[in-house]
Each structure stands twice: as structure tokens, then as C-alpha cells.
Amino acid sequence: MFVRKKKNRSGTTSVVVVDKSRHQFRELKTIGVSSDEKIITELYQSGKKWIAAHSGRQDMFAFQAQQEEEKQAIDKLLSNVENILLNGTQLILNQVFKIVGFDIIDDEILKHLVIARLSQPASKAATVEYLKSYFDEDVELHKIYRYLDRLHNTQQDKIQQISVEHTRKILGGKIGLVFYDVTTLYFETDYDDELRERGFSKDGKHAQPQVVLGLLVSRDGYPLSYSLFNGSQYEGRTMLPIVEDFVERFNLNDFVIVADSGLMNKTNIALLESGGYKYIIGARIKNETAGIKQWILSLEKQNGAFYETKKGDCRLIVGYSESRAKKDKYNREKGVKRLKAAYKSGQITKGNINKRGYNKFLEISDNVQVSISQDKINEDEQWDGLKGYMTNTDLSPNVAYEQYNGLWVIERAYRITKGTLEMRPMFHFTQKRIEAHVCICFVAYKVYKELERILKSSGIKLSVDKVLKIAKTITTLKIKLPISGETLTKTMLLTPKQKSIAILFDQYFWNNFLG
């Protein structure tokens, strides 16, 4: 408020108290009118006194008016909210999907299915509801099923090519190590066919039909390629077909294949040798010839020591580890304890007769009387801490051991795809859709690994699972402006946890990786 002297047409001067609010002037009080300068001065002073007496009250009235205007403005804003999305994961994963290069595939359904698989793995029908409720994406179920057929027919090879090229890029242009392993994926059905067959299940679902999945990953666990086999396929016969297909499709030749002892057999070794492939494969040292076993058991058991001998055209490396010895002893004692509890009566039913696991310590007589053989336990104890590796490389034993130990990355890949991404059980029954479902999970795992790499390289000390868990709580407001019809969006980062990943919602951050 202030005092204003206002000239009138009659030649007199009015002295008034004026308030300025929101760029508008409003007369609050006329103090008096005069043509005498002395009186005008007195009126002016009276006006200032009036302001001093009424300023607190006037400010209160003005503040109340401003509060009311503020409430009306907020109410108007909220009445124009068009949608509220829980799309934090989508905003992050869209960027990673693009960085890998999968956006080259001109089909939004692939991206929706992959991001939904990472955000909230579910059936295809439930995925449709999730995409609409959380991301406001309209994807019809019948279009998803049609896309699964198209993915199998035209895009599967392209997806693996994108993954290989991106992996080669982030590894400095060279793949180097290729890890191979297999797992099984079961179906919730009693019916089998040429692809879905019963076999040895790594999930313990021996009564369910399954398929066998062979997966190739690089150093640090980036997925490269995969193949599906029928559920009764022996895992030892899966490696060469997928490796040869991998080499032919992607023109790779300078790498070492690493696989566990489940793939160790004479046929595989011979085929690897004839194909000119370099390899490091876990050896089954307890199944070696009598001469080699005698040599192994004569070795000095020194922690971290490695020994080697020639075996045909390759090298057999044997290492000893105290920590492995403790683990072997613990597992054996645990197994024997379980046997004692199971067979304390000294009898066994025919249905339980097998030689799997620690039942190898049982001696079974004709009348199905059983006892635990201490001699067999003592014999097994001699091998504690010993581990063998077959290789045709020139790598030192220590390096070969370190590279073989990298197999944990493929074990982790299976844990994530089966657990976090819920690849199984599968509910599809046609081969095309089964393979398409696996392909979507393959892409999702590649995106998962790339986000993991980005977080680590950016110094963000949070796991992918933790980041996605926080992102699921982040909302985006969509506000439609009533006059222009334009829709504005605002992503809300409110809590300390949400603010801890605020950088992942900054386009400048992602530009560093899109280059």
C-alpha cells in the first residue's frame, strides 16, 4: 500500500491510499481533498498513518485472498490431470533398449513385451492389463500372439546379431571367451510332443515335459546366442551344434570355449579338436584311467597348486584348493547324515534303489538290505579339494583355472532368467511361440545386463533389481491444457529413494551412452 496524490479537473488534489496486487491498482481509502498545499501535505501524512494502522489487517486480507486464488489454481490444475502412470521402469528401460540397438527392430510390441517382462513378468494376458494400467499402452492380446509368430519367423536371428555386435563393442571389439551351459525349462502340462519331452530336469520337475536350452555368454555374462532342443536331449550333444551355428552366423574364430564337466566326453573333445576350436572344459577326474587316477592321488595337496599332464592332444590340469576340500567334506557329511536318517532300518524299497547322489555309498544286497560303506566314504575322501580341467590352449594353468571359474556368469544368467524374468514354467504349446517366448526373455536379459553395466560405469551403487524396485514407485502425471489441448507430462521424484536414481530420468545422462 502507498499514498497517492491525484489531480482533479477542478484543480483540487485528492489524497488516497492505493494497493497494488497482481499488477492491478485498487483505491482503498480517500483521505481528503484540498487545493491548499499545506493541507495536502497534512492529508498525505494522515494517509501514511492510516496505512501504518491498517497494514497488518490489509496484509491478512491480501494473504487470505492469495491462498484462495492458489487453491483455485491447484484445483483447476488437478481437474485437468488426464492420467497418472506408474511408468518409472518404462522410462529407464526404454533408454537401455535403445542403447543396445534393439530399437532397430521396427515393432513396438517387442519393446513392450521386454519391458513388461523386466517390470512385472506375467502371462501374455496379464501383460496386456499391466501395459494398459501402468504405462497407458494399448496392446491387444491377439496382436501379441501374432507377433510371437512373426518374431520366430523373421526377427530371431536379427535379435541375436544385435546382441553379439553390442557385446563385441563393449568388450573392445573382441569376444575372447565364450561360456556354454544348458538348463531345462518345464511346462505345466501332462502332454508332450516332439519338442516338449520328459527328461532329466534341472528344476526337479522330472514328471513334467520340458525343453533343453543351450546358452552362450561372453566374459562378464553378456548373452550372445542360444538354441532350444527337445526335452530328452542329452546335454553333452548340444554344445557343438550351437557353437558351429554361432561361428557360421557371426563369423567369429578367435575365442575360447569354456564349459563344465557335464559336456566332457570323448566325442565332444574330438569334434572340438577337428573343428579347430580352443577350449577349457571341466574334467571328470574320478572317471579317468587307473594310471591317471593314481597320478592325481599322488599329487601334493598344497593350497593353490596346479599340476598338469598330457592326455592325447590336450592337457589335463589338476588343481587343489583348501576351500574346495572343506566344501567337499561338508557336502559328503551332509549326504551321509541324510542317508543314515533315510535308511536307519537297514532296508530299502525297490522304488528307491538308484545310484544318484550320495546313494553311491550304499551297498545293496539281493534281499535289499542296505548299509553305508565306510570304505567308499574313505575312497571318496581322497578326492577332496581336487578339480580337473581339459584344455588345448597354451594358457598357463592359473589362467586356464581363472577363465574356467568365469562359468559362474552363465549360472547367474540362468538364475536371473528363471527367477527375476520368470522364463519358466511356460504355458505356450506351439514350437513357434515357445521359441518366441525364450527370445523375449533373451532380449530382456540382455537389457538387464546392459543396465547393470551402465549403473556400474556411472558409479551408481545400486543393483538392477533395486533400481527397478524404486522405479516402480515413480509416477508420471499427464495434464491436458484446456485451451490449447496440449498434454504436458511431469515425472514425480519425491522420496529420498526416488531422488537417489533421479539421474536415470535425465536425458543428458543417457546421451552419454547413445553416442
Side-chain angles (χ1 to χ4, degrees):
M1 290 184 292
F2 61 93
V3 182
R4 172 182 283 176
K5 299 176 182 179
K6 185 172 66 174
K7 294 289 186 179
N8 301 319
R9 290 183 180 180
S10 63
T12 59
T13 300
S14 296
V15 178
V16 296
V17 177
V18 179
D19 177 64
K20 181 181 179 183
S21 178
R22 297 183 180 276
H23 306 290
Q24 293 183 346
F25 295 92
R26 182 164 58 99
E27 293 185 1
L28 302 179
K29 174 74 174 177
T30 299
I31 302 300
V33 180
S34 179
S35 57
D36 187 319
E37 285 297 326
K38 184 177 179 181
I39 295 174
I40 291 171
T41 301
E42 291 175 353
L43 292 174
Y44 185 83
Q45 294 301 321
S46 297
K48 293 181 70 174
K49 291 178 181 179
W50 189 93
I51 290 174
H54 294 81
S55 60
R57 184 180 175 188
Q58 183 64 28
D59 287 346
M60 180 183 69
F61 290 149
F63 180 68
Q64 290 176 342
Q66 289 173 354
Q67 280 186 316
E68 188 61 32
E69 290 177 4
E70 184 179 62
K71 289 178 182 177
Q72 292 175 359
I74 295 299
D75 184 65
K76 186 175 181 180
L77 174 70
L78 294 177
S79 66
N80 288 302
V81 172
E82 190 175 51
N83 208 338
I84 300 176
L85 308 177
L86 275 167
N87 66 338
T89 56
Q90 184 189 37
L91 296 176
I92 294 172
L93 296 172
N94 274 347
Q95 299 285 0
V96 185
F97 188 90
K98 185 177 181 180
I99 288 168
V100 176
F102 289 129
D103 60 321
I104 295 173
I105 297 174
D106 188 21
D107 201 315
E108 287 288 300
I109 293 181
L110 173 63
K111 182 166 66 175
H112 292 325
L113 292 177
V114 167
I115 291 174
R117 178 62 45 180
L118 285 158
S119 304
Q120 188 71 36
S123 68
K124 301 303 182 289
T127 296
V128 170
E129 293 297 321
Y130 180 81
L131 289 170
K132 179 59 181 174
S133 300
Y134 289 78
F135 301 162
D136 195 28
E137 301 287 358
D138 287 308
V139 183
E140 298 178 30
L141 184 59
H142 69 90
K143 289 185 178 179
I144 288 179
Y145 285 134
R146 284 210 303 267
Y147 175 73
L148 295 180
D149 296 335
R150 185 165 66 255
L151 172 59
H152 170 269
N153 291 332
T154 63
Q155 296 177 350
Q156 203 167 340
D157 287 344
K158 191 172 184 179
I159 281 170
Q160 293 189 46
Q161 180 72 52
I162 291 169
S163 183
V164 169
E165 291 306 319
H166 177 265
T167 300
R168 195 184 339 228
K169 176 183 176 183
I170 62 179
L171 293 180
K174 182 179 178 181
I175 297 296
L177 288 176
V178 173
F179 299 95
Y180 180 75
D181 202 355
V182 301
T183 193
T184 54
L185 308 172
Y186 67 91
F187 295 79
E188 291 287 5
T189 180
D190 294 327
Y191 300 98
D192 50 17
D193 49 41
E194 291 183 0
L195 180 63
R196 301 177 301 167
E197 293 185 2
R198 289 169 176 79
F200 178 75
S201 172
K202 297 198 174 187
D203 295 314
K205 301 284 185 177
H206 303 294
Q208 303 298 120
Q210 64 180 22
V211 293
V212 174
L213 171 66
L215 179 65
L216 289 173
V217 304
S218 71
R219 173 169 52 88
D220 296 331
Y222 302 111
L224 298 169
S225 185
Y226 68 93
S227 286
L228 283 178
F229 304 88
N230 69 64
S232 62
Q233 178 69 54
Y234 166 56
E235 66 180 58
R237 296 174 183 167
T238 64
M239 180 170 66
L240 263 298
I242 190 173
V243 169
E244 290 176 342
D245 177 64
F246 180 67
V247 170
E248 181 179 350
R249 282 194 291 150
F250 305 118
N251 193 28
L252 298 174
N253 49 34
D254 187 15
F255 62 89
V256 177
I257 302 166
V258 183
D260 73 8
S261 57
L263 301 166
M264 168 66 183
N265 58 56
K266 291 181 179 179
T267 301
N268 273 346
I269 296 294
L271 289 172
L272 286 170
E273 294 281 1
S274 64
Y277 298 117
K278 297 295 183 182
Y279 60 84
I280 305 171
I281 297 181
R284 294 177 171 176
I285 53 178
K286 295 180 184 179
N287 296 338
E288 288 291 349
T289 63
I292 290 181
K293 286 197 291 185
Q294 185 178 2
W295 170 75
I296 294 173
L297 293 177
S298 69
L299 298 174
E300 182 181 357
K301 292 184 176 181
Q302 182 181 350
N303 187 43
F306 290 96
Y307 308 90
E308 68 173 276
T309 186
K310 290 288 290 182
K311 185 183 177 184
D313 294 329
C314 62
R315 301 154 60 204
L316 171 62
I317 298 172
V318 177
Y320 175 79
S321 164
E322 289 181 355
S323 61
R324 187 185 300 113
K326 291 178 181 178
K327 182 180 179 182
D328 291 341
K329 181 180 180 181
Y330 171 80
N331 288 339
R332 181 177 54 256
E333 290 177 348
K334 183 178 178 181
V336 170
K337 184 178 180 181
R338 187 165 58 246
L339 287 176
K340 288 179 178 179
Y343 307 117
K344 59 184 177 182
S345 66
Q347 294 184 345
I348 185 173
T349 64
K350 290 183 179 180
N352 290 330
I353 297 176
N354 61 65
K355 285 290 185 178
R356 289 202 302 269
Y358 290 97
N359 283 3
K360 63 188 177 183
F361 300 139
L362 295 175
E363 290 181 341
I364 304 175
S365 59
D366 293 338
N367 59 358
V368 201
Q369 295 293 313
V370 298
S371 62
I372 296 175
S373 171
Q374 187 60 45
D375 289 340
K376 290 186 177 181
I377 293 175
N378 294 339
E379 181 183 340
D380 187 77
E381 190 175 2
Q382 298 178 78
W383 299 92
D384 286 359
L386 295 168
K387 175 67 177 176
Y389 315 90
M390 297 286 293
T391 183
N392 63 347
T393 67
D394 296 328
L395 299 172
S396 68
N398 292 55
V399 173
Y401 162 77
E402 289 173 2
Q403 294 194 349
Y404 180 86
N405 270 3
L407 267 172
W408 70 268
V409 297
I410 199 165
E411 294 170 359
R412 181 171 183 261
Y414 282 138
R415 285 199 304 273
I416 293 171
T417 52
K418 286 183 170 184
T420 304
L421 304 181
E422 296 184 15
M423 184 188 289
R424 55 62 170 140
M426 287 194 282
F427 299 94
H428 298 289
F429 59 90
T430 66
Q431 181 169 343
K432 287 182 179 180
R433 291 180 181 177
I434 291 169
E435 293 189 359
H437 171 77
V438 173
C439 186
I440 288 166
C441 293
F442 175 86
V443 176
Y445 180 63
K446 176 64 178 181
V447 172
Y448 183 102
K449 284 295 299 179
E450 178 60 4
L451 177 55
E452 184 176 69
R453 185 186 73 85
I454 289 171
L455 294 175
K456 185 177 180 180
S457 66
S458 302
I460 300 174
K461 297 180 180 180
L462 291 171
S463 68
V464 173
D465 293 341
K466 185 67 174 178
V467 166
L468 294 181
K469 183 178 180 180
I470 296 171
K472 286 180 182 181
T473 70
I474 293 173
T475 59
T476 295
L477 298 181
K478 295 179 71 176
I479 304 168
K480 189 170 185 179
L481 303 182
I483 298 176
S484 67
E486 181 183 356
T487 298
L488 300 180
T489 61
K490 175 66 175 178
T491 300
M492 311 299 292
L493 301 168
L494 305 175
T495 68
K497 285 185 177 180
Q498 291 172 348
K499 291 177 181 178
S500 71
I501 60 171
I503 194 172
L504 300 178
F505 296 89
D506 185 341
Q507 186 57 49
Y508 290 106
F509 171 81
W510 295 108
N511 289 343
N512 295 326
F513 299 94
L514 287 169

